[in-house]
Amino acid sequence: MDSLLFLSARRLVAHRPLPTVPAQLYPVLFQAAFLDGRPLVLQDLVAQWPFPVLNFQQIVGRRELLRDHPSKLCIQSVILAVVEQLRQDLEEAGHDSSQCRLRVLDMTGLRDDAAGRAPEGMSIWSSTVALAKACVEVSKHQRELQKRGSRSHKGRSGTMAAPRFVDIHADLFVNGTSYGILWDALQAGNAGPLRLKCREFQAEELCLAGIVSLLKSLDPSGVRRVDLRFNNLGLGGLSLVLPHLSRFLDLRSLRLPYSNVDVRRPTPESVLGIRCLARELGKLQSLRELNLGSSRLSGNLRHILCKLKAPLESLELAFCSLLPTDFAFLSQSFHAPALKRLDLSGHDFSQALLQPLQHLLEETSASLLHLDLMECRLTDSHLDALLASLRHCSCLRSLGLYGNSFSTAGLKDLLLKTMVLPDLRLVVYPIPVDCYKPGLDPGWILEEQLDRECLGAVSTELSRMLESFGRVDVIWTSNPYGHGALDYFSL
C-alpha cells in the first residue's frame, strides 16, 4: 500500500512546473515521477538535485518496480538532464550559479529489458550506448569551449575554472556494434566532466584486441564482475585476457562461458595454457564466483583451480565434460564446504558419475543453497540415490532438474521426499516422460508432441500436494526461464 507521502508526491508531479519544495522531498518526487513516466519532471528534479548522489535503485525501489513501469524515456531524460547541467557548467565556468549538487549518478542494478515484459524498457546494452554517447558529447563540448578561448569562459583569475565532475556508476554491456562508442567514452572520461565507472562489465562477441582494449580503459575501482561470453577466445585468448584482470582488486565474479576451451586431449600448448590460466586466477584474491560453462575440462579441474587462495562460493561447470577425478578433487578441496551455488548441468549422472556426485553433495551439504542438474540423463531409477544426498542439503533453496527423464510418479516421490528441506522455495522439474505421446525417442521429443492436458493435470496434482503439506510457499514449475537468472550477488 502506498504511503500518504508517496500519494501526495504523485499528485504533485502530475503538474509542471513543480513548486519550490524542501530538499528532503526530492527523492520521493523522483520516485513518483519515474514510476508514473514523467520524463520532463525528472529533468527538472535533476537540474536542481540538492544531494551529491542520485542512486536509482535506492530511490525508485525494488527491481519489480523498475521492471513493471516504462523506463526508457525516464532513464534517457535523467541522462540528458545531467548532460545539460554539465554543458551549462562549462559555459558558465567560474560562476557557481547552478543549483544542482549532483556528483554521482548511480545507475547500477537496472534490469535488462531486452527480452522483458515492458516494451518501453531499456536494455543494459541500450543504456550503455546512451551513457557512452553522453560522455562523448560532454567531452566534445568541453574541447570546443577550450578551443574558443573566450574570456567569458574564464574564471575571475583569468584561467579556465576547473569543471564540475559527475561520475556515472553503471553496469556495462558491449558487443561489436557498440564497441567504438564505449571505447571513445572511456577515453573521454579520463579528462572529461562526465566519467563512466563500471561495476559489472559484460562483453559478447568481441575480438581479443577489443576486449583487452576495453579492460585496460576501465577504471579498476569498483569493478566486481567481468563476464566474457561467446567471444571464441579459446585457451590461448584467455591466457592473454586474464593478466589484465588483476588490477580489479574488488573482482568477485568471473564468468567465462562459451569461450571455446577444449583441453580433453592434452598438448604441450594446452598444458602451458592451463598453467597460465591457473596462475592468473590465483592473482584474483577477491574471486568468489567462477563460470567455466561449456568448456571441455576433462580431468583438468584440479590444475585450473589449484592456485586460488580463497574458496569459491559459486561454481558453474555446466557441460564441462568432467570426469570422476574432477569430482574427487572438488569434493576434497576447500571449495566444497564453502559452495553456495553449484551448476553441474549437462553431465551424464546415469552411470559412473552418480556416486562422485553423491559424495560431492555430501561435502557441500552444509552450505549449498542452489543446485542445477539440468539435462543430466537422470531417471526414476536414480532418484533414491540422488535424494539420499539431497536430503542432507538442509539449506537448499532452489533445485533445477529440467531436461531429465522422470515420470509423474517419480516427480511425486521427489516432492514428498524434499518436503524435509525447510528453505526450499523453487524446483524446476522436467516435463514427465508420460506427458509426451508414446513411442517417441526421448532424445528427439518435440514441443508439438507434448500432451498439454496431461502436463496441466500433473501441475495441478503437484500444487495440491504442496497445499496438503502446507508448503504453498514452494514453487514447482516446468518452465526453466520463468523465474529469472540467479545472481551470485543475491545469495
Side-chain angles (χ1 to χ4, degrees):
M1 183 178 296
D2 293 329
S3 67
L4 181 59
L5 177 62
F6 181 72
L7 292 173
S8 300
R10 296 187 74 174
R11 294 290 299 272
L12 202 57
V13 300
H15 305 282
R16 187 173 181 256
L18 295 175
T20 301
V21 296
Q24 60 266 30
L25 293 181
Y26 271 70
V28 70
L29 290 172
F30 186 97
Q31 183 187 51
F34 187 91
L35 298 180
D36 285 354
R38 303 190 182 279
L40 295 180
V41 175
L42 288 171
Q43 289 187 22
D44 295 343
L45 291 169
V46 173
Q48 302 184 67
W49 196 252
F51 308 109
V53 178
L54 195 167
N55 185 307
F56 263 80
Q57 275 207 300
Q58 286 184 3
I59 294 176
V60 176
R62 303 182 307 277
R63 282 183 175 232
E64 304 92 90
L65 297 177
L66 289 168
R67 177 192 67 200
D68 294 334
H69 291 76
S71 60
K72 188 172 185 177
L73 286 176
C74 291
I75 292 173
Q76 288 176 331
S77 71
V78 172
I79 297 172
L80 290 174
V82 173
V83 169
E84 181 58 28
Q85 286 302 304
L86 289 175
R87 286 173 63 96
Q88 289 182 19
D89 286 355
L90 290 169
E91 292 171 1
E92 300 173 3
H95 301 280
D96 190 19
S97 57
S98 174
Q99 296 183 19
C100 181
R101 295 292 176 260
L102 185 65
R103 295 297 180 271
V104 175
L105 175 63
D106 192 329
M107 298 180 62
T108 58
L110 296 183
R111 183 182 183 274
D112 194 339
D113 278 323
R117 285 177 279 179
E120 303 89 351
M122 194 171 200
S123 69
I124 295 179
W125 184 90
S126 297
S127 65
T128 298
V129 172
L131 290 172
K133 287 182 177 179
C135 292
V136 171
E137 179 183 340
V138 174
S139 179
K140 181 180 178 181
H141 190 65
Q142 182 187 39
R143 291 196 303 271
E144 289 174 350
L145 291 177
Q146 290 172 342
K147 286 180 181 179
R148 294 179 199 169
S150 171
R151 292 176 61 87
S152 62
H153 304 141
K154 296 181 181 179
R156 296 176 182 175
S157 63
T159 59
M160 185 69 73
R164 173 166 65 100
F165 292 97
V166 173
D167 291 339
I168 297 186
H169 295 193
D171 301 326
L172 305 178
F173 173 35
V174 60
N175 58 18
T177 306
S178 56
Y179 167 79
I181 186 64
L182 180 59
W183 190 86
D184 289 343
L186 292 174
Q187 305 311 305
N190 293 328
L194 193 57
R195 305 180 293 195
L196 273 180
K197 305 289 185 180
C198 178
R199 185 185 69 158
E200 298 187 6
F201 176 79
Q202 180 177 341
E204 189 171 295
E205 297 180 341
L206 275 187
C207 67
L208 173 61
I211 294 172
V212 170
S213 177
L214 290 176
L215 290 175
K216 291 169 67 175
S217 301
L218 291 175
D219 184 327
S221 62
V223 177
R224 70 177 191 178
R225 168 175 285 155
V226 170
D227 188 337
L228 308 175
R229 57 181 63 206
F230 301 113
N231 294 297
N232 199 32
L233 293 172
L235 187 58
L238 289 179
S239 299
L240 294 174
V241 167
L242 263 60
H244 298 282
L245 301 182
S246 57
R247 55 195 290 265
F248 302 133
L249 301 181
D250 298 322
L251 187 69
R252 296 180 63 84
S253 171
L254 177 60
R255 304 176 62 82
L256 303 169
Y258 312 106
S259 291
N260 192 25
V261 172
D262 189 343
V263 291
R264 288 175 291 182
R265 295 177 179 84
T267 64
E269 291 78 12
S270 69
V271 171
L272 289 175
I274 289 173
R275 288 176 183 172
C276 177
L277 180 60
R279 182 176 65 250
E280 296 305 326
L281 288 176
K283 295 178 182 178
L284 307 178
Q285 299 188 18
S286 297
L287 190 66
R288 297 297 181 270
E289 178 181 53
L290 181 62
N291 182 339
L292 297 171
S294 295
S295 298
R296 306 298 195 237
L297 304 179
S298 306
N300 288 285
L301 192 60
R302 175 191 302 273
H303 306 301
I304 292 171
L305 303 184
C306 64
K307 299 293 184 180
L308 290 177
K309 304 296 192 302
L312 295 170
E313 297 175 348
S314 176
L315 182 58
E316 296 180 65
L317 298 170
F319 298 93
C320 282
S321 303
L322 298 182
L323 301 178
T325 54
D326 297 308
F327 283 87
F329 156 73
L330 201 52
S331 298
Q332 297 164 10
S333 71
F334 69 165
H335 304 293
L339 283 173
K340 298 179 181 179
R341 181 186 183 189
L342 182 61
D343 187 348
L344 296 170
S345 299
H347 290 91
D348 184 357
F349 291 117
S350 65
Q351 300 179 33
L353 291 180
L354 184 57
Q355 189 172 356
L357 172 64
Q358 287 181 272
H359 187 203
L360 177 58
L361 291 180
E362 290 167 5
E363 296 299 321
T364 62
S365 60
S367 60
L368 195 62
L369 304 177
H370 306 274
L371 175 65
D372 281 310
L373 298 174
M374 300 191 185
E375 298 184 30
C376 289
R377 302 192 183 183
L378 293 166
T379 66
D380 289 0
S381 63
H382 307 113
L383 270 176
D384 284 343
L386 181 62
L387 285 165
S389 300
L390 281 179
R391 293 175 70 180
H392 289 101
C393 300
S394 58
C395 300
L396 197 66
R397 297 177 187 171
S398 72
L399 175 63
L401 293 169
Y402 188 83
N404 292 293
S405 299
F406 297 149
S407 68
T408 298
L411 288 182
K412 291 181 179 179
D413 188 41
L414 178 68
L415 188 150
L416 286 169
K417 293 179 179 176
T418 53
M419 286 297 97
V420 299
L421 301 175
D423 295 329
L424 189 64
R425 293 295 181 271
L426 173 65
V427 176
V428 181
Y429 62 86
I431 296 173
V433 292
D434 43 297
C435 286
Y436 288 99
K437 296 177 182 178
L440 299 173
D441 179 356
W444 295 94
I445 288 176
L446 301 176
E447 185 72 17
E448 56 266 26
Q449 295 164 331
L450 172 65
D451 186 337
R452 296 193 174 277
E453 184 176 345
C454 176
L455 180 59
V458 170
S459 177
T460 300
E461 177 64 12
L462 294 177
S463 297
R464 186 196 64 77
M465 292 176 65
L466 289 171
E467 186 175 357
S468 68
F469 281 103
R471 294 299 303 273
V472 292
D473 57 325
V474 184
I475 297 172
W476 272 63
T477 177
S478 60
N479 181 4
Y481 310 108
H483 296 274
L486 178 70
D487 187 81
Y488 163 73
F489 293 102
S490 66
L491 293 179

